[in-house]
Every structure is written in C-alpha cells, then in structure tokens.
Amino acid sequence: MVLTPLRVADADRLAGFLSDPVLREWLQAEDASALRDRFKRWESGRSPDGRESWLNWMVSSREDAQGLGWVQATVSGGLAVISYAILPRERARGVATEAVRALTRWLYEQPGTTAVEAHIDSENRASQSVAAKAGFTLTDRVHDGEDVWLAEPGLP
C-alpha cells in the first residue's frame, strides 16, 4: 500500500465509494462529478476559514496502483483528527489498519503534533476495530456525538 496526495483526478479511481450509501451521504456526492468537486475542495489543503489544514491521501496498491481508499487528517494547532474510508471491495483485508498506522506515524513525525485522534460513531464497529488494531485507545470523551479514540506517539 502507498499513500499519495489526493487529487481531483483520483475521483475516478475512487468512484466505488458511491456504491456505499453511508459514504455517498458523508461525501455529499451522488455521482463522479460531485466526487470530483469534493476532491477539488480538499485539494486546497485548508479549511475555508484558514484555521485548519486538510491533508488528504489516496491509498493505492503498491503492485498495480489500484485505488483502495482514502485517509485524511484535519490539523488544527497540535491536534490531528483522522478519517478514513476503504472501497467496499477492499474491506476486511487490513488496508485501513495499515493506512491509518502509516498516517498516524507520519503525523507524529511532524513538528508540533501533540495528539492524533479518530472520532468514531459508537455504532460503527468496523471503524472501531480498525482504530483498535492501529493502536488507538477509546477515551471517555465524546466530540460531536462521536467517541474519541487516541493514538499515542510511537505506534508500531
């Protein structure tokens, strides 16, 4: 697996997200054109108000460059909050765990990063499993209705 900066052109390689109703709703994209528009906004690397950095990567197969998914970090101050999505056909193969570990290690290598979190819906067992396997620990905090998971520096 390899992570590369997400670009508008990657929308076609990740159009499989649109087959998942939950991802389609979260992405606010009903078709490939809307997905390209979403990726274009993310390419800016900054939130509209400039307070957050938006860091997005395409997850691809090292062997054939096939698109596998996406990982992201929203960074504000020393806090990085990660998100991730894997194409439905690629799930349950360890891709998300590997990508989340790689992203988390990279984030902690960046000067000023003090915490890396994942905010996960309490009903999303698959994402909870990925977070746990990637070395995150469930905290007693809740942010916008989602459970906060924390990764300690020095993950394997």
Side-chain angles (χ1 to χ4, degrees), residues 50-121:
R51 292 186 204 174
E52 300 172 332
S53 294
W54 290 349
L55 309 174
N56 291 275
W57 291 271
M58 167 91 148
V59 180
S60 303
S61 166
R62 186 174 300 279
E63 291 80 34
D64 60 9
Q66 178 179 343
L68 305 174
W70 152 88
V71 291
Q72 179 265 355
T74 298
V75 181
S76 180
L79 175 63
V81 179
I82 67 158
S83 299
Y84 44 92
I86 300 302
L87 290 169
R89 69 175 186 265
E90 302 297 336
R91 293 178 183 161
R93 295 183 19 193
V95 173
T97 300
E98 185 179 350
V100 167
R101 280 185 186 145
L103 174 59
T104 302
R105 278 192 303 267
W106 182 85
L107 287 164
Y108 272 125
E109 290 170 358
Q110 305 313 299
T113 300
T114 57
V116 178
E117 296 178 350
H119 300 169
I120 302 173
D121 186 282

